[in-house]
Amino acid sequence: MGSDRNIQIAAALSVNRYSLEQAVKECSVKIKSQIKTGVIDFCLVFFSLPKISLDLPGEIKRILNPASIAGISSPYLIYNGEILKYGIIIIGFSGINPVVYSLTNIDQQTSAEIEENSRKALKGVLRHKMFSLMLFSNTAVNNNALIEGSQRMLGKSFPILGVSAARKNFTALQPLLTNYQIHNSYLLKNSAVNAIFRNPTIDYHYSIRHGFNPIGKTAYITEKEKNVIKTINGIPAASFYLRYFESNDSPKAADLREKLFMLYPLGIETADSQKILIRRPIRITPDKSLVLSGGIPSDRVRIMISTRQSLISAAGESAETAMQKVNNPKIAIVFDSVSRFKILGAEYKKELLELKSKLGNIPYAGILSHCQLALLESAEPRGSMYVQEHNICTLVIGEHKNARYFFKK
Amino acid sequence: MPGIFLRSDAIVVLSLGGIIFGLVYFAYKKMGYIEELKKTNSSLNTKLSELDAQAKIIIKTDLELNRTQEELDKRITTLLALQKFSQRLAGVLDKDTVFANIEESLLEDLEFSSCLAFLKNNGDIEVKSAINIRQDFLKEDFDFKKILDILEEKNIIVGSIESKHLLEITQSIESQLSLTSFIIAPLKINEEIKGALVLGNLSKDLNEGDKEVAEITARQISQTLENITMFEKLYQSQRELEQRIMERTKELTNALNKLERANKLKNEFVSAVSHELRTPLTSIKGYASLLANEKFGSVPQKVKTRLERINLQADALVELINNILDISRIESGRTEINITKNNLSMSLKECLDLLTPQAKEKNINLNLNAPPGLYANFDKSLIERAIVNLVNNAIKFTPEGKNVELILQDFEDKVKILIKDQGIGIAEEDKENIFKEFYRTKQATNNNIKGTGLGLSLVKNIVKAHKGTIEVESQIGQGSVFIITLPKT
Ligand SMILES: Nc1ncnc2c1ncn2[C@@H]1O[C@H](COP(=O)(O)OP(=O)(O)OP(=O)(O)O)[C@@H](O)[C@H]1O
Ligand SMILES: [Mg+2]
């Protein structure tokens, strides 16, 4: 088993847009130069290609020959201090072999079906499991079934770290950009790929932050249904929200609203009032309800505001917190959000610098995401898991300090 | 009893009163408390509302700030993108590459989603770039020319579906290019509108900044196109020039080759012919002198005179043939020249001595003006032949009673030999030609002065074989000076 071996992790990027094979080979050369054994157990792939190619998973399999692959496409990639529109990032893991499974047609399944299908895919319950990395299509964003079903299967307090890719343009007028997932040799759509990490030699920690602050008084949701807020303080939710912006009905309103939703999302307190979750309204219904992209865990709602500096600091905190708790850190996986990228504008580079300053010399890679899924850090033994937006989540993976004992057989 | 009643009554009343009082008092107290509570509550509410009012102000300011930041960001990215674009255009030398540099990422940075660029080409329209434009619509009767017509008047078109005054063009752009807002800027070459750049958007409202960006982009493309046109013209004329030079060079080389070939043929012919001629001439001469000497019996005086003339003519012919032979030999390098250190002064003296009788015949003064014992490196027999030829000419072309002078000048690295006469002179246009074989001037032929025109040709070849030069200075009727310059070593 892979756990007999030392943990080695190497990340590589290729921006070769013209030859997929060449791009994968470029990555392979870099990875194999760093992983001395040459044996790669697992590949985590982030990619953004001008034209999608069904061959991608196959090429990775053929050239790097890992036991399993999990991957996701996104219009924006993060790689060591840069945001890229085109490229392939491959992170090769040696001595770490997660169990990878996938669920398809996730926009239509109920939580019971998700649970059932996960169970089938896993062929029984895993004895060791530490955390999982779930890469899912943004078609599942409004469907809580994926999370609920997965939690029922893996346990309510099992940390699932999830991410769905960004939409290319941030306006409601544009359809969702197709979003691809990779599971071993398959390129999937409308799916979720879950990699369950289980090697006890791993040390890991993650931290999720948004950098928004509440403003104005707490309001109360008076009527709601799933992820739709119907009324707040007894008046239609949209009217309540828009009161803050003196919005008029100029032709620009739709665009402006999009921007307001991004800059001033709603904040909903968690059930234990410990944290405030960011909820960006997706749209306003004719009866002036607000449709959100995640569940509504409590009735206490606020308007949230941020500054570029508060966002950058949040990124730093997220990286720092994760770094501090990991022994011998080897890589950071960063799920940043497109909204943050948009709000930061030209200053997004500062955020990347801030990340670098906290992560030191370890490589970091990831994507700009649409929404993030994480178990909230909490004082309580078991935190609760929420879909979140506008967050940056940093996962640092290292080697357990007792790892050398595990190697002995 | 009434007392009791009263008392009891009083008690009842009292106690009732007490209760009521108590109640009233209690109620009074309670009411105050409620009032108090109400008050605090309302002040708290006011404070919360104030908080909300403040929130609104903060958000308003923040939104403003955000807008400014965005505007600034946009400016920066646009500037950077334009800078990059112009850098990329800097070295471009063909039109297609200019348009290939308009990429989606550039448009994105300039905050446009689509681009259409077209140029006029001999009355036709050529679409040079179409990004995110529905190509199938373009094939239909999209009115490119109409756009160019409007640009002639307006210089830049900013349109969206709302701009009614541009309804016609707007509608066709909307339906055919499926753009809801767009800016059209002209592409000009030398101030003449040659095409247009359409930058469009699906959703955005356009502002002054966008207009500026479109104008700058179009201007940059125009500038590059202009440069390319200029370059092409320059290139074209340079090419033509080069072509012409090449043709000329070819012609010249051909001519030169022909000349060389002809020259070679001539030399070969001459030497062949001369040999052929010399043999029979020698026998003619031999027979003539045998006959004249009456070796075959007596000959009448008349015949004798004729035979002597034959002999003389044969001598002249042999001389001529020898000259021709020598010229061609020296010219073709077949004569071995034998350069040694010789007394030049002496050589000149010998030449003069040789020609003195001839000069005397014409009553011409022959003078030598040479430093004694001047040595130089030369082939004695050849140079002497040259000098004899020149002095011979000088005597020949100078009327009786005049002077001919032979001058020798010594310089550090060379010597000059001047042959000066007071003869008929040589016209300017003849100065080059006299050195060619068989060339004789009008003056010479008109004055019936005999000669074949080979002497100077031989002289020239001899001088050339010595790496020297020969020049002539002359004026018609005044006299001529032939100047030979020889390097000392
Ligand atoms: N000193 C001179 N003055 C005037 N004309 C001269 C003089 N020397 C040469 N020329 C002109 O140049 C022509 C060429 O001279 P060149 O010596 O080659 O021929 P030539 O003297 O006529 O004949 P040849 O020397 O063959 O007997 C002459 O015919 C004459 O016209
Ligand atoms: Mg002569």
Side-chain angles (χ1 to χ4, degrees):
Chain A
M1 264 219 161
S3 59
D4 298 348
R5 273 182 279 112
N6 216 346
I7 289 179
Q8 294 179 73
I9 304 170
L13 162 80
S14 170
V15 289
N16 191 328
R17 288 157 65 171
Y18 306 104
S19 161
L20 197 65
E21 188 190 351
Q22 215 40 54
V24 176
K25 275 188 178 156
E26 279 168 27
C27 290
S28 166
V29 167
K30 190 171 172 204
I31 290 170
K32 287 192 169 157
S33 75
Q34 289 175 54
I35 294 183
K36 296 288 171 324
T37 53
V39 180
I40 290 144
D41 296 302
F42 171 62
C43 282
L44 183 60
V45 183
F46 302 121
F47 62 102
S48 173
L49 297 170
K51 247 196 215 150
I52 193 63
S53 163
L54 284 173
D55 296 339
L56 179 61
E59 288 290 339
I60 297 173
K61 180 91 196 149
R62 189 171 66 80
I63 294 167
L64 280 144
N65 195 29
S68 55
I69 309 173
I72 188 164
S73 74
S74 168
Y76 300 99
L77 305 177
I78 304 173
Y79 187 81
N80 294 344
E82 265 190 279
I83 296 211
L84 303 134
K85 283 183 192 160
Y86 300 103
I88 298 177
I89 298 171
I90 302 180
I91 306 172
F93 293 79
S94 180
I96 297 181
N97 53 345
V99 174
V100 183
Y101 68 96
S102 57
L103 303 163
T104 50
N105 295 323
I106 49 173
D107 59 338
Q108 282 160 22
Q109 297 191 34
T110 61
S111 52
E113 285 167 329
I114 294 274
E115 184 188 357
E116 176 61 20
N117 289 330
S118 306
R119 198 178 303 281
K120 271 188 205 156
L122 280 170
K123 298 182 189 82
V125 187
L126 295 166
R127 260 189 297 146
H128 297 286
K129 55 182 195 298
M130 305 177 79
F131 69 98
S132 87
L133 212 52
M134 188 186 268
L135 313 173
F136 57 97
S137 161
N138 47 26
T139 48
V141 163
N142 303 335
N143 190 351
N144 289 324
L146 177 66
I147 302 156
E148 284 172 19
S150 300
Q151 278 192 312
R152 269 195 244 163
M153 169 64 205
L154 296 165
K156 195 138 181 71
S157 62
F158 177 70
I160 301 175
L161 203 66
V163 73
S164 87
R167 296 182 294 178
K168 185 162 187 174
N169 255 318
F170 223 57
T171 62
L173 295 171
Q174 297 215 317
L176 289 180
L177 195 89
T178 316
N179 202 222
Y180 295 89
Q181 297 78 42
I182 295 178
H183 175 207
N184 295 345
S185 306
Y186 302 104
L187 189 73
L188 309 168
K189 270 195 276 193
N190 187 19
S191 301
V193 179
N194 200 10
I196 302 177
F197 288 77
R198 52 185 179 152
N199 298 60
T201 43
I202 299 177
D203 195 13
Y204 80 97
H205 196 80
Y206 63 82
S207 171
I208 185 164
R209 293 280 192 287
H210 53 63
F212 279 78
N213 287 300
I215 188 171
K217 61 179 179 182
T218 306
Y220 294 88
I221 298 170
T222 37
E223 203 184 336
K224 64 178 179 186
E225 197 182 297
K226 277 190 172 175
N227 58 334
V228 180
I229 306 180
K230 297 200 153 175
T231 58
I232 296 173
N233 287 354
I235 60 171
S239 311
F240 170 84
Y241 179 79
L242 291 174
R243 268 192 341 188
Y244 283 90
F245 311 107
E246 298 167 349
S247 169
N248 52 15
D249 277 312
S250 81
K252 294 181 181 176
D255 256 9
L256 181 67
R257 255 175 229 169
E258 274 304 312
K259 197 164 164 189
L260 294 180
F261 291 159
M262 182 174 84
L263 289 173
Y264 314 105
L266 291 177
I268 296 176
E269 286 182 16
T270 52
D272 58 7
S273 297
Q274 294 269 347
K275 290 258 157 71
I276 299 178
L277 300 179
I278 305 286
R279 286 284 180 270
R280 189 175 68 90
I282 304 170
R283 63 191 159 87
I284 297 174
T285 63
D287 67 346
K288 294 200 184 279
S289 301
L290 288 174
V291 182
L292 308 182
S293 58
I296 303 162
S298 82
D299 290 339
R300 294 178 298 283
V301 65
R302 311 286 294 268
I303 302 283
M304 306 297 280
I305 191 170
S306 69
T307 65
R308 287 182 174 186
Q309 193 46 53
S310 73
L311 296 181
I312 293 169
S313 306
E317 275 170 37
S318 147
E320 193 171 23
T321 315
M323 266 307 263
Q324 275 172 357
K325 298 200 176 159
V326 176
N327 182 63
N328 191 7
K330 291 186 181 288
I331 193 158
I333 291 161
V334 178
F335 298 136
D336 202 345
S337 103
V338 174
S339 332
R340 294 169 51 85
F341 176 58
K342 297 264 162 181
I343 299 171
L344 284 170
E347 284 179 63
Y348 77 88
K349 287 215 160 112
K350 285 193 190 161
E351 180 181 272
L352 296 172
L353 282 175
E354 178 78 6
L355 282 175
K356 172 108 196 90
S357 78
K358 303 294 180 197
L359 294 171
N361 286 328
I362 63 165
Y364 66 97
I367 58 170
L368 291 191
S369 56
H370 175 202
C371 65
Q372 307 79 40
L373 180 67
L375 209 55
L376 281 183
E377 297 147 77
S378 163
E380 299 165 43
R382 45 175 62 191
S384 333
M385 180 142 55
Y386 297 101
V387 168
Q388 308 202 52
E389 291 170 285
H390 285 59
N391 276 263
I392 178 164
C393 180
T394 313
L395 164 71
V396 175
I397 299 178
E399 195 168 32
H400 198 278
K401 60 174 176 291
N402 295 330
R404 60 200 175 91
Y405 300 121
F406 295 110
F407 300 140
K408 289 184 192 157
K409 255 258 149 100
Chain B
M1 293 319 248
I4 294 165
F5 178 77
L6 236 172
R7 218 167 49 207
S8 65
D9 220 35
I11 287 164
V12 168
V13 168
L14 255 176
S15 53
L16 258 178
I19 288 168
I20 286 171
F21 177 78
L23 273 176
V24 168
Y25 180 75
F26 183 70
Y28 172 77
K29 269 272 189 189
K30 181 101 180 169
M31 262 166 70
Y33 186 62
I34 286 172
E35 264 321 296
E36 199 75 356
L37 232 123
K38 260 189 186 160
K39 256 189 208 157
T40 354
N41 197 24
S42 92
S43 87
L44 206 74
N45 262 335
T46 334
K47 277 204 180 111
L48 279 174
S49 304
E50 272 169 22
L51 205 68
D52 247 19
Q54 277 166 7
K56 278 180 201 169
I57 293 167
I58 291 171
I59 285 175
K60 201 172 165 189
T61 326
D62 187 64
L63 206 56
E64 211 52 56
L65 181 79
N66 210 277
R67 217 167 270 149
T68 330
Q69 267 176 339
E70 252 180 18
E71 205 51 48
L72 220 73
D73 283 358
K74 196 182 140 184
R75 293 241 150 191
I76 292 169
T77 34
T78 323
L79 269 171
L80 286 176
L82 282 174
Q83 194 191 7
K84 212 165 88 188
F85 185 54
S86 78
Q87 271 169 4
R88 287 172 74 171
L89 289 189
V92 173
L93 289 177
D94 73 293
K95 289 180 183 165
D96 287 340
T97 316
V98 173
F99 292 100
N101 269 305
I102 308 175
E103 288 176 347
E104 211 174 332
S105 61
L106 171 76
L107 291 183
E108 218 171 279
D109 285 343
L110 300 181
E111 303 225 325
F112 287 100
S113 61
S114 333
C115 162
L116 173 71
F118 59 89
L119 286 181
K120 281 195 284 194
N121 188 11
N122 302 327
D124 281 344
I125 291 288
E126 246 179 63
V127 173
K128 290 293 191 180
S129 166
I131 299 174
N132 294 330
I133 296 278
R134 301 176 60 169
Q135 295 267 10
D136 47 330
F137 281 93
L138 274 182
K139 285 187 197 98
E140 286 168 27
D141 52 335
F142 183 71
D143 202 350
F144 290 103
K145 299 223 168 90
K146 175 100 194 164
I147 290 183
L148 295 182
D149 288 346
I150 298 180
L151 281 177
E152 290 285 355
E153 287 167 29
K154 284 195 55 104
N155 204 37
I156 187 153
I157 308 172
V158 180
S160 64
I161 321 174
E162 287 93 41
S163 42
K164 301 278 189 304
H165 56 289
L166 290 167
L167 205 59
E168 208 179 325
I169 195 82
T170 306
Q171 275 172 352
S172 79
I173 285 185
E174 196 214 337
S175 66
Q176 289 181 292
L177 306 187
S178 58
L179 295 176
T180 49
S181 56
F182 57 86
I183 297 175
I184 308 177
L187 298 177
K188 293 182 187 173
I189 297 178
N190 300 326
E191 290 307 303
E192 197 188 324
I193 297 181
K194 291 282 188 189
L197 175 74
V198 184
L199 293 176
N201 244 304
L202 290 170
S203 57
K204 210 181 67 160
D205 281 293
L206 301 168
N207 56 29
E208 275 303 305
D210 295 313
K211 191 174 138 188
E212 222 169 89
V213 167
E215 266 181 320
I216 293 173
T217 314
R219 221 179 301 140
Q220 251 172 27
I221 296 172
S222 299
Q223 190 59 52
T224 314
L225 292 178
E226 206 170 298
N227 290 347
I228 290 172
T229 319
M230 249 160 62
F231 175 79
E232 274 172 356
K233 265 191 201 145
L234 210 77
Y235 186 69
Q236 185 67 27
S237 58
Q238 194 185 317
R239 275 286 293 275
E240 274 167 17
L241 208 74
E242 265 172 15
Q243 191 69 29
R244 256 167 36 205
I245 289 173
M246 256 163 67
E247 273 164 18
R248 277 294 154 82
T249 318
K250 213 170 151 188
E251 273 169 27
L252 277 172
T253 354
N254 277 347
L256 207 72
N257 283 342
K258 248 188 215 160
L259 215 72
E260 269 174 8
R261 232 181 4 251
N263 215 25
K264 204 176 153 209
L265 276 176
K266 185 194 79 187
N267 280 338
E268 279 165 8
F269 171 78
V270 163
S271 56
V273 166
S274 311
H275 269 290
E276 301 284 299
L277 280 175
R278 230 171 10 177
T279 332
L281 260 178
T282 324
S283 35
I284 287 173
K285 236 182 87 109
Y287 285 122
S289 66
L290 281 175
L291 279 173
N293 293 337
E294 300 183 319
K295 292 274 151 101
F296 299 108
S298 69
V299 175
Q301 187 54 43
K302 252 187 184 172
V303 177
K304 236 187 197 168
T305 328
R306 295 279 158 83
L307 282 173
E308 255 153 31
R309 207 174 287 164
I310 288 177
N311 203 12
L312 271 174
Q313 294 286 3
D315 277 345
L317 263 175
V318 171
E319 168 77 12
L320 179 120
I321 290 162
N322 283 340
N323 275 345
I324 292 176
L325 271 174
D326 290 339
I327 291 171
S328 75
R329 276 200 200 117
I330 297 171
E331 205 174 345
S332 62
R334 269 179 292 153
T335 300
E336 235 185 66
I337 59 167
N338 181 24
I339 294 182
T340 49
K341 197 164 184 177
N342 289 298
N343 189 336
L344 187 54
S345 316
M346 186 69 85
S347 281
L348 295 187
K349 175 98 184 20
E350 279 167 17
C351 290
L352 276 200
D353 288 347
L354 197 72
L355 291 166
T356 306
Q358 225 169 298
K360 280 231 168 94
E361 228 168 83
K362 273 188 95 178
N363 193 20
I364 281 171
N365 264 331
L366 256 187
N367 292 316
L368 174 66
N369 180 358
L374 178 59
Y375 277 80
N377 289 314
F378 59 94
D379 182 313
K380 191 166 153 32
S381 75
L382 284 180
I383 287 295
E384 280 179 6
R385 243 174 113 180
I387 303 297
V388 168
N389 254 291
L390 288 170
V391 178
N392 192 22
N393 277 356
I395 296 167
K396 198 160 66 175
F397 297 107
T398 301
E400 295 194 5
K402 300 271 172 157
N403 302 322
V404 168
E405 205 183 358
L406 190 56
I407 305 162
L408 177 60
Q409 291 174 346
D410 183 17
F411 294 88
E412 200 177 327
D413 54 342
K414 62 193 175 197
V415 291
K416 282 193 176 185
I417 306 159
L418 289 80
I419 299 97
K420 210 168 166 183
D421 66 43
Q422 294 175 323
I424 56 170
I426 301 156
E428 194 58 41
E429 64 268 24
D430 282 329
K431 281 185 178 161
E432 290 236 333
N433 293 329
I434 52 171
F435 294 100
K436 291 177 182 163
E437 288 139 65
F438 301 109
Y439 189 90
R440 310 194 72 228
T441 62
K442 265 193 289 200
Q443 285 77 14
T445 45
N446 288 350
N447 287 319
N448 227 351
I449 302 169
K450 298 240 155 50
T452 48
L454 286 173
L456 285 181
S457 182
L458 181 69
V459 171
K460 177 147 195 180
N461 278 315
I462 292 171
V463 172
K464 211 166 130 191
H466 281 82
K467 299 200 169 67
T469 57
I470 181 160
E471 297 155 277
V472 60
E473 285 166 13
S474 180
Q475 246 169 350
I476 291 285
Q478 302 280 314
S480 317
V481 191
F482 284 82
I483 307 155
I484 293 176
T485 309
L486 292 177
K488 266 188 183 164
T489 45

